[in-house]
Amino acid sequence: MNILKWTNKNCASLKGKRVAISGSTGGLGRELCLYLASLSADLILMDRNETKLNELIRRLRKKFPEVNIYK
């Protein structure tokens, strides 16, 4: 089964919802941020590394300009 095909068919938009993610710059956390942003969720990101966090926010805002991101 193609995971992207399944995801597109079975996952609803999260527009208007806020999701808090700790450890947001790590491998799994970063991928979760990208996925949730693709579903239009607003993100509250928490991480110990401020430099990596700012880089992730820049990347997310460039790819998903409609998503609100807080830290």
Side-chain angles (χ1 to χ4, degrees):
M1 173 178 275
N2 182 323
I3 188 69
L4 292 176
K5 186 176 179 180
W6 183 92
T7 302
N8 290 336
K9 182 179 176 185
N10 294 290
C11 292
S13 170
L14 294 176
K15 187 156 184 71
K17 304 289 184 185
R18 285 190 182 156
V19 180
I21 304 165
S22 62
S24 56
T25 65
L28 186 57
R30 183 179 58 248
E31 293 305 314
L32 182 60
C33 290
L34 289 165
Y35 177 68
L36 292 171
S38 76
L39 294 176
S40 300
D42 293 338
L43 304 175
I44 302 168
L45 306 183
M46 299 167 277
D47 201 272
R48 292 182 295 172
N49 188 321
E50 189 78 17
T51 303
K52 285 184 178 182
L53 182 60
N54 289 332
E55 176 58 29
L56 175 62
I57 291 171
R58 185 197 62 74
R59 180 179 171 196
L60 288 167
R61 285 189 173 143
K62 183 176 180 181
K63 190 168 184 173
F64 307 102
E66 73 284 354
V67 171
N68 295 313
I69 302 170
Y70 309 93
K71 65 176 186 172

